[in-house]
Structures are given as structure tokens and as C-alpha cells.
Amino acid sequence: MSRYIARRLLIMIPLLFGITLLSFAVIHLAPGSPTDLQTDLNPKASIEAKERLRALYDLDKPFHVQYFLWLKKILVLDLGTSFSPDRRPVSGKILERLPVTISINLLSMVLIFAAAIPIGVLSAVRQNSLFDKITGVFVFIGFAMPTFWLALLLMILFGIHLGWLPISGIRSINHEYLPLVDSWIDLAKHLILPVLLSAFGGLAGLSRYMRSNMLEVIRQDYITTARAKGLSETTVICRHALRNALLPVITILGLSVPGLIGGSVIFETIFAIPGMGQLFYMSAMARDYPVIMGILLIGAVLTLLGNLLADISYALADPRIRVSR
Amino acid sequence: MGKGTGQGLWTDFRRRFSRNRLALAGSVVVLLLFLVSFLAPVIAPHDPGAIDLGKVLSPPSGDHLLGTDQLGRDVLSRMIWGSRISLKVGFVATGIAIVIGTLLGALSGYYGGFVDGLIMRLVDVMLCFPTFFLILAVIAFLEPSIWNIMAIIGLTGWMGITRLVRADFITLREREFVQAARVIGAGDLRIILVHMLPNAMASVLVAATLGIAGAILTESALSFLGIGVQPPTPSWGNMLTAGKDNIDIAWWLSVFPGLAILVTVLGFNLLGEGIRDSLDPRLRGRD
């Protein structure tokens, strides 16, 4: 098993290398320079000043030199300094925002699994029942739903019309003066809509996937055997079928990471949540190279870790994987 | 594949497709959408760009069926014109993704070995990025325009198609008719283009239809964030931005353009799934 994990970790190294090279190329070969934004609106900025600014950021050097300079710093875990006026280290900027994004994503992942697995199992066990048909419609709508539109609708309904939930930020202005319990309730109220929304797309996908796995499994011979020896239907479904149908779902866990992280840009912007997605959006608008690179790198690392975790748990659950690969 | 069985496949396909009510509903939606965007100048009740500051944010009424926006422009007319943007982006972006995906998938599956390894590693690397981040990173550096949007959505959306085509090619490579073509001396290019590619087109067609839906969703999200199609050009996404800005006073600005996106994407999804189920009924109900 440890050899399997070691091999998986080794594969990650060239992948990470490719990721950094590609994102660096995409950002640096695109037309426009981060210094444009700082100098275009300033009529006093002379050509020499622009050149000095470019030299300050190493932007005057050839592409490969810039890349190796960046890579050298990454090897000692230094993501560089932000181009924005605050000149803070990129790692600090990202670290203070990472927990919010990760906790919202984790919460929504828990929600996805808690809801999608029972839905998928039930609609498979009662194939073509009313429940199956209703969830089928829900799944189709879920696939086609623009999340940001659903966000707007829910904001109108719960935030404005009913006034139950706040529609921006993760804390009320007066949260520091609230008693501890109220402060937690305040946080929870702010998180309900973002978590629900980031779970929505994944929910549709996973329940559909769970349903088709389950349908496949309950047609297997060992399920017939379990029924034939007189086990109750609940035991057959929960103990014999569910376990096997859950196996491929583990992989989905890893694969859903990039989608969740990517989605955070949208709902963090809509709900004004100070997370990584919002930071990425603002940095992209300001052409803040080091921050963009830092977040792309962290997003990719999280994705790779998600895949690794999925592979390992899959191998733990299914011995055939360990042996054959 | 002989001519006779090809004919049978097509008849089979039509029979199954016409029995699939959801697929038919999807095709109706897509057809209507084409009609609306084609006839936009005729059927739009107002000029989509006509500003009327006397009628700012007026709710749906007889004259303005779906209300007006923050500049007094007719929402319905802007939605009708916006359908052109969605279709254009959907088709062009998917077209780009198909060309790249099919090409790389064919090379990868046909040649195998080093070429395959290289292309598949590229796919792995591309799949590691949260796609939306990558799109955002590029868009931020380019002028936000409809052409850039199409290009970038296409350039970040080909990986799935590559995998599909590669898988098809790996199985096709061993089939007798391909071996036969090789035996009679057909070159690689001829085998790929004439003998193998047509047999891989079924899965590409399905992926393309679903891809159009995805591209339309991505475009609307980008336009909503203000980095896609720029006002005053009407797109469903940038209309929703106005909806968000006036969320507490003008619900109609938020509701209708989003509904258009939902119905359109739903239509393409149903059509795509319908085509897949009709091409190969064994795949029904799978993802």
C-alpha cells in the first residue's frame, strides 16, 4: 500500500511542473502588462518610468528567465509579493482567505453526499416510481441551472421578500458585540445560501451517478443470492448493494474539487464573501501576476490532493486496484 | 461498416429518437431558439438599444411584456437579441473544442506510445485547473469581447472530447475493417480520416451538443461577472448583472434572462442525451 501511495505521489511531481509552466505561460504570454493598469491612467508616467516599473517586477526579462526565477522561489515555498499597493506576501494574502473557501466547500461537499446518496439509492431501488421521476426532473434542471441565477432568485426570496437571511458577507456588522451563541447563529445564517448554492450542481450530478451505480449493482448475481437466502430487503440494499455502489462514488469526491473551487469565484463574488475566489477575481482584474499564479497553483495542488485521496481510499476499499496498478 | 448497415443505423436512430419525448422536447426548444435568434429583428417588439429614461425599471406591462431595465430598454427585446449571442458563443466555442479534441484524441488513440503519453499528460494537466479560474486568468488580460470568450471557452473545453475520441480510436484500431484498410496499403491519414473518424463521430456529436449547453452557461457566468460580453450588447448574462444591481426593486430583471438560460441549456442537454440514447440504447441512463 505504501508503495502505491509513493508511486501516486511521484506522478504528481511532473504534473505540478506542467501546471506551473502552463499557467505561467498563459499569464505571461497574454497581451497587456500589469504595469499598464498603473501607468495608463497616469499621464505623468514617462516611458522610462514604465521601464523602471517593469524592471522592478522582472517583467523585462525573457519568459524562461522569469519562469525559473519564480520556480526557484516556489521551491522554498515563497510565492512572492503581490503587485497591489499593499505589497504583501502572496502566501499571507491567500492563507487568510483560504479557510473561508475551504470550509464552505467542505460543508457543501458534506451536504452533497448526505443528500445525494439517499436520493440516488431510493430512486434506484424504486426505479420508475413517482419519487424517481421527480428526482429525475430535479436532476435535469440541476444540470441546466446557472448557479448565479439561482443565487439571485434565492436572494430575492429569502433575503429581500421574506427577510430571513442576509445576502452579503459572512458576518453582520455588529457581530463583535453579539453573545457567542448569537454570533455563531449569525455566521450560520450568512453561510446557508452560499453552501446550498455551491452544493446544488454537485448534488444533481452525484445523485444521478449514485442512481446508475445502484441500478447496476442490484442486477448482480450476489444480490439475487442475498435475496434468495431470505435476507430482508433493507439488509440486501444497505449491506450488500450500497457498499458496492458507493465504491465508484469515492472517485467523484476527488474529481469534484476543481469544480467546487472554480464555482467559488462566482458565489463569493455574488455574496461578497472574503474568500479565495473573490481574491482571485480581484487579482485577475488588477493583473496581479504573483497572486494569480499563487492561487492557480494552490487550486491545482488541492485538485491533485483530492485525486490522490480518492485513489487511496479507492485502493483501500478495493484490493484489486492495489494489485493491478 | 457497409452501406446497408449504415442505412439501418440511421433508420433505427430516427425511430428511437422520435419515440423519446424528452429528446423531442429538447429539439423543439433548440429549434425555437434558432428561429427566435434568426427572426430577432422581426419579432422583437422594441429596439433593444432604445433608451427611454421616462420608463426606467418599469414592471412588466402591456407595452413592455417583461418590463424595462435601468435605462428603460425593453427586457423582452434584449432577451430576443441576446439569444444570438448565446447561440454564437455556444456553437463557435464548442466548434473550437471539437477540432482540438478530435485531432488530439485521434492522434493519441491511433499512434499510442509516446504521442499518446504526451497528449494524455497534457489532458491531465489541463484537468487539474479549476477551469473557471483559468478562463478568468486569461480573460482578465485580454479585451473582454465575444471573440475572446469563444476562443477561451473552446481552448479550455476540449479535454473530455479528446478522451472520448481516444477511447473510440483504441477500439477501432483493432477492428477488421481498419486492419483491412492497412493491408491494402492505405496511409495513416487516410485510415484516420476516412475509416476511423466517421465511426467516432457519434460520441463527438453527443459531447458537442452537451458542450454547447456548457459553453452557454460559462458565457453567461462570465458576462454576469462583467468580463464576458460587454454592454450595450445584450447578453443574458450581462442582463442579470443589472438584475443583481437592482435586486431589491426590479425582480423581473433577475428572473426572465435567467429563465432563458435555464430553458436553453435544458433544451441542449435533453437533445444531447436523446441523441446518445438513440444512437446506442444500451447507454440509456448512464452518465
Side-chain angles (χ1 to χ4, degrees):
Chain A
M1 189 65 202
S2 53
R3 274 189 61 197
Y4 176 77
I5 297 176
R7 203 164 54 218
R8 297 284 323 172
L9 278 171
L10 278 179
I11 296 175
M12 279 172 68
I13 295 172
L15 270 181
L16 264 179
F17 189 73
I19 289 162
T20 57
L21 186 62
L22 189 74
S23 28
F24 207 83
V26 160
I27 294 170
H28 285 74
L29 298 180
S33 149
T35 54
D36 290 353
L37 284 182
Q38 294 175 24
T39 51
D40 273 358
L41 295 172
N42 182 356
K44 286 191 199 137
S46 62
I47 301 197
E48 294 84 55
K50 280 186 189 178
E51 285 309 310
R52 269 207 307 279
L53 206 53
R54 285 174 59 80
L56 176 70
Y57 294 147
D58 286 332
L59 295 170
D60 53 342
K61 300 194 170 62
F63 170 75
H64 63 274
V65 177
Q66 289 188 45
Y67 178 64
F68 281 115
L69 283 174
W70 182 83
L71 208 58
K72 226 165 74 187
K73 282 203 253 167
I74 287 298
L75 289 180
V76 291
L77 298 177
D78 176 8
L79 290 172
T81 324
S82 164
F83 284 175
S84 71
D86 61 14
R87 312 283 305 145
R88 291 178 49 204
V90 173
S91 45
K93 280 187 119 166
I94 295 179
L95 279 181
E96 71 184 18
R97 282 161 174 270
L98 203 56
V100 181
T101 304
I102 290 194
S103 20
I104 291 181
N105 280 332
L106 279 182
L107 281 173
S108 65
M109 223 181 243
V110 170
L111 185 67
I112 291 175
F113 275 79
I117 291 173
I119 292 176
V121 170
L122 261 181
S123 46
V125 172
R126 303 201 185 133
Q127 199 187 359
N128 297 326
S129 67
L130 185 66
F131 178 79
D132 185 28
K133 281 181 181 140
I134 292 173
T135 51
V137 171
F138 159 78
V139 162
F140 258 111
I141 293 178
F143 275 133
M145 180 70 84
T147 323
F148 59 95
W149 181 56
L150 187 64
L152 287 185
L153 293 185
L154 294 182
M155 280 163 100
I156 292 178
L157 180 63
F158 293 109
I160 290 156
H161 196 67
L162 296 171
W164 291 351
L165 296 170
I167 55 173
S168 112
I170 52 166
R171 292 281 197 188
S172 296
I173 303 166
N174 63 343
H175 78 93
E176 282 173 38
Y177 307 107
L178 292 171
L180 191 63
V181 179
D182 288 0
S183 157
W184 279 96
I185 293 176
D186 179 57
L187 180 66
K189 272 182 153 180
H190 279 87
L191 287 182
I192 289 179
L193 285 183
V195 169
L196 212 64
L197 283 161
S198 76
F200 191 79
L203 191 60
L206 191 71
S207 55
R208 183 106 199 262
Y209 190 65
M210 192 65 216
R211 175 179 178 271
S212 56
N213 280 339
M214 198 68 187
L215 281 177
E216 199 120 302
V217 168
I218 51 181
R219 290 195 189 117
Q220 301 289 325
D221 288 342
Y222 58 83
I223 297 298
T224 318
T225 312
R227 285 206 179 108
K229 68 180 184 183
L231 294 179
S232 75
E233 191 62 21
T234 325
T235 320
V236 172
I237 297 301
C238 294
R239 298 213 35 191
H240 295 251
L242 183 60
R243 279 192 186 182
N244 288 292
L246 271 178
L247 263 183
V249 172
I250 300 175
T251 340
I252 297 290
L253 187 109
L255 294 177
S256 61
V257 173
L260 282 172
I261 297 179
S264 64
V265 175
I266 299 176
F267 66 79
E268 283 179 12
T269 312
I270 296 178
F271 289 104
I273 291 170
M276 206 170 71
Q278 195 195 39
L279 177 67
F280 189 78
Y281 178 75
M282 295 189 313
S283 308
M285 290 304 112
R287 296 184 182 172
D288 194 342
Y289 285 171
V291 179
I292 298 175
M293 276 304 292
I295 295 182
L296 278 177
L297 185 64
I298 287 182
V301 170
L302 287 177
T303 307
L304 283 175
L305 284 180
N307 288 344
L308 180 72
L309 217 64
D311 282 347
I312 292 176
S313 23
Y314 205 116
L316 279 175
D318 188 345
R320 283 171 301 181
I321 308 283
R322 268 171 283 173
V323 184
S324 66
R325 275 198 230 157
Chain B
M1 187 180 292
K3 279 225 164 71
T5 53
Q7 198 66 40
L9 192 78
W10 178 232
T11 325
D12 258 13
F13 172 79
R14 270 202 310 207
R15 185 172 47 80
R16 279 196 290 261
F17 192 84
S18 57
R19 279 191 197 155
N20 187 337
R21 271 181 297 169
L22 285 175
L24 287 179
S27 357
V28 170
V29 169
V30 171
L31 274 178
L32 273 178
L33 195 71
F34 269 104
L35 217 63
V36 164
S37 71
F38 192 68
L39 296 176
V42 187
I43 56 174
H46 295 267
D47 175 353
I51 295 173
D52 184 349
L53 293 178
K55 281 189 185 163
V56 170
L57 294 177
S58 55
S61 64
D63 189 26
H64 297 284
L65 284 176
L66 303 183
T68 62
D69 68 1
Q70 74 284 10
L71 295 173
R73 297 172 296 194
D74 182 53
V75 170
L76 178 62
S77 308
R78 290 181 70 71
M79 277 172 58
I80 290 174
W81 282 85
S83 69
R84 291 190 164 191
I85 300 287
S86 291
L87 281 182
K88 235 191 261 177
V89 173
F91 273 85
V92 176
T94 310
I96 295 172
I98 286 179
V99 170
I100 301 175
T102 312
L103 186 75
L104 291 182
L107 290 176
S108 194
Y110 186 79
Y111 288 107
F114 177 72
V115 179
D116 181 38
L118 198 69
I119 293 175
M120 282 302 111
R121 289 301 79 75
L122 184 62
V123 169
D124 286 345
V125 166
M126 289 293 290
L127 285 176
C128 279
F129 287 105
T131 319
F132 206 76
F133 273 28
L134 200 60
I135 294 179
L136 205 64
V138 181
I139 291 287
F141 292 97
L142 303 170
E143 290 281 299
S145 80
I146 180 169
W147 300 106
N148 287 335
I149 299 282
M150 292 170 180
I152 188 67
I153 295 177
L155 287 173
T156 50
W158 49 270
M159 292 83 77
I161 297 176
T162 301
R163 285 190 162 171
L164 280 176
V165 174
R166 172 178 177 267
D168 277 355
F169 264 59
I170 288 176
T171 10
L172 286 170
R173 197 168 54 184
E174 311 301 330
R175 294 274 292 273
E176 288 87 350
F177 68 93
V178 174
Q179 311 240 328
R182 196 169 293 136
V183 168
I184 59 171
D188 285 352
L189 194 66
R190 188 179 163 80
I191 295 180
I192 291 180
L193 289 180
V194 178
H195 297 280
M196 294 171 80
L197 204 52
N199 288 294
M201 273 345 248
S203 40
V204 173
L205 182 68
V206 174
T209 319
L210 298 174
I212 292 172
I216 290 176
L217 266 181
T218 309
E219 180 273 322
S220 65
L222 288 171
S223 299
F224 174 72
L225 289 177
I227 44 181
V229 178
Q230 298 296 303
T233 309
S235 100
W236 296 338
N238 68 29
M239 294 179 74
L240 284 172
T241 317
K244 182 183 182 267
D245 294 341
N246 301 292
I247 190 165
D248 42 354
I249 40 176
W251 57 269
W252 56 92
L253 272 181
S254 293
V255 171
F256 298 121
L259 201 60
I261 302 172
L262 175 67
V263 171
T264 303
V265 174
L266 201 58
F268 276 106
N269 278 347
L270 289 174
L271 182 63
E273 302 233 341
I275 296 176
R276 176 173 57 195
D277 291 348
S278 312
L279 281 172
D280 187 350
R282 281 172 306 168
L283 294 178
R284 185 182 291 266
R286 293 207 201 156
D287 286 306

